[in-house]
């Protein structure tokens, strides 16, 4: 089993996830920790569970999802995994952050590319990479078939979808991603989003006001 722990970090209220296996291996997805206390909270949790971070993963690279990339990488000596088309989004994040009055030091270390269908192994568990662009040009989601959940980043929310008015956003592409990559998952699949509370694939297919199943 790959357990899920959610943190809500930074003034934009972004959800950071730690997924951890029985053997203590874990991954950190979208570390949004901005303040020292948030970084300390993340460290305390990992230490309290005796976890060993083995992956640093980004669903996408908007500023609120990458504030903590450098901290996580430096603390646990991890390279960053992301989709290659998010590299430009990552490079723009500090400029975007300055506009919000949230300056930060960006990650500039080794990058490894995630592609559709890739498998990320954590202990005996697997996360399948789903390519779900539209909110951002290289957005990916992480699907855990065995435990029945998907980490959707800012693609799909409870009763909503990711905005598409930012650079590289595309509503038609986002709709296609949701319908072909997420709505094809089992209805009971839990959705852990980049903001707000959780939902399920079945509920969103029937009730999401922006993208419903045809």
């Amino acid at each position: 089993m790959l357990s899920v722990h959610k943190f809500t970090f930074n003034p934009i209220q972004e959800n950071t996830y730690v997924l951890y296996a029985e053997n203590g291996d874990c991954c950190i997805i979208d570390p949004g920790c901005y303040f020292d206390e948030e970084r300390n909270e993340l460290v305390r949790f990992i230490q309290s569970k005796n976890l060993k971070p083995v992956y640093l993963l980004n669903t996408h690279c908007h500023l609120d999802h990458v504030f903590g990339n450098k901290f996580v990488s430096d603390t646990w000596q991890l390279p960053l995994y992301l989709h290659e088309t998010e590299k430009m989004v990552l490079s723009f994040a500090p400029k975007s952050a300055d506009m919000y009055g949230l300056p930060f030091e960006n990650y500039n270390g080794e990058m490894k590319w995630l592609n559709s269908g890739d498998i990320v192994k954590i202990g005996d568990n697997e996360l399948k990479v789903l390519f779900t662009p539209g909110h951002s040009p290289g957005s990916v989601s992480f699907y855990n078939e065995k435990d029945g959940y998907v980490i959707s980043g800012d693609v799909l929310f409870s009763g909503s979808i990711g905005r598409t008015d930012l650079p590289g956003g595309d509503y038609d592409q986002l709709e296609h991603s949701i319908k072909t990559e997420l709505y094809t998952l089992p209805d009971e699949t839990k959705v852990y989003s980049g903001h707000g509370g959780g939902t399920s694939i079945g509920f969103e297919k029937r009730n999401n006001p922006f993208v419903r199943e045809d």
Side-chain angles (χ1 to χ4, degrees):
M1 181 176 180
L2 203 54
S3 300
V4 180
H5 186 87
K6 180 180 82 172
F7 301 87
T8 301
F9 287 148
N10 71 59
I12 307 177
Q13 296 290 282
E14 178 266 355
N15 293 334
T16 293
Y17 293 98
V18 174
L19 277 50
Y20 57 99
E22 292 93 335
N23 73 344
D25 287 354
C26 73
C27 69
I28 301 170
I29 301 177
D30 291 353
C33 42
Y34 184 79
F35 300 108
D36 285 343
E37 178 52 37
E38 293 175 339
R39 293 189 281 267
N40 291 338
E41 182 182 356
L42 178 62
V43 171
R44 284 196 302 268
F45 174 79
I46 287 172
Q47 291 178 341
S48 72
K49 296 285 188 181
N50 295 313
L51 302 180
K52 177 187 176 183
V54 294
Y55 281 103
L56 166 59
L57 307 172
N58 279 170
T59 62
H60 67 295
C61 294
H62 288 148
L63 74 160
D64 50 325
H65 293 255
V66 303
F67 282 139
N69 275 349
K70 186 177 188 304
F71 170 76
V72 168
S73 176
D74 289 348
T75 302
W76 291 288
Q77 292 76 55
L78 298 173
L80 175 63
Y81 285 76
L82 69 164
H83 194 275
E84 188 171 7
T85 52
E86 283 297 289
K87 185 177 179 180
M88 289 189 64
V89 181
L90 178 64
S91 68
F92 182 73
K95 294 181 181 178
S96 179
D98 286 343
M99 290 187 285
Y100 280 86
L102 295 168
F104 77 105
E105 188 174 356
N106 203 12
Y107 177 85
N108 61 358
E110 181 184 5
M111 299 183 193
K112 293 182 177 287
W113 309 132
L114 295 169
N115 295 295
S116 178
D118 283 354
I119 300 296
V120 178
K121 293 209 68 174
I122 303 164
D124 294 328
N125 305 273
E126 295 185 349
L127 294 174
K128 183 179 180 181
V129 176
L130 309 178
F131 185 48
T132 50
H135 171 67
S136 191
S139 289
V140 297
S141 301
F142 298 102
Y143 176 47
N144 182 339
E145 181 178 7
K146 184 175 74 171
D147 296 322
Y149 63 78
V150 62
I151 310 293
S152 68
D154 287 1
V155 174
L156 182 66
F157 300 116
S158 176
S160 189
I161 60 174
R163 59 189 294 185
T164 56
D165 59 337
L166 298 172
D170 184 310
Y171 174 81
D172 290 339
Q173 190 178 48
L174 180 63
E175 182 182 41
H176 179 77
S177 294
I178 292 171
K179 287 185 173 181
T180 61
E181 296 293 331
L182 298 183
Y183 282 1
T184 54
L185 301 178
D187 280 2
E188 62 272 17
T189 304
K190 296 177 183 177
V191 179
Y192 293 104
S193 304
H195 300 271
T199 185
S200 72
I201 292 295
F203 183 86
E204 296 308 316
K205 282 164 64 174
R206 295 186 296 271
N207 298 286
N208 192 290
F210 300 97
V211 180
R212 293 188 186 180
E213 189 177 45
D214 294 332

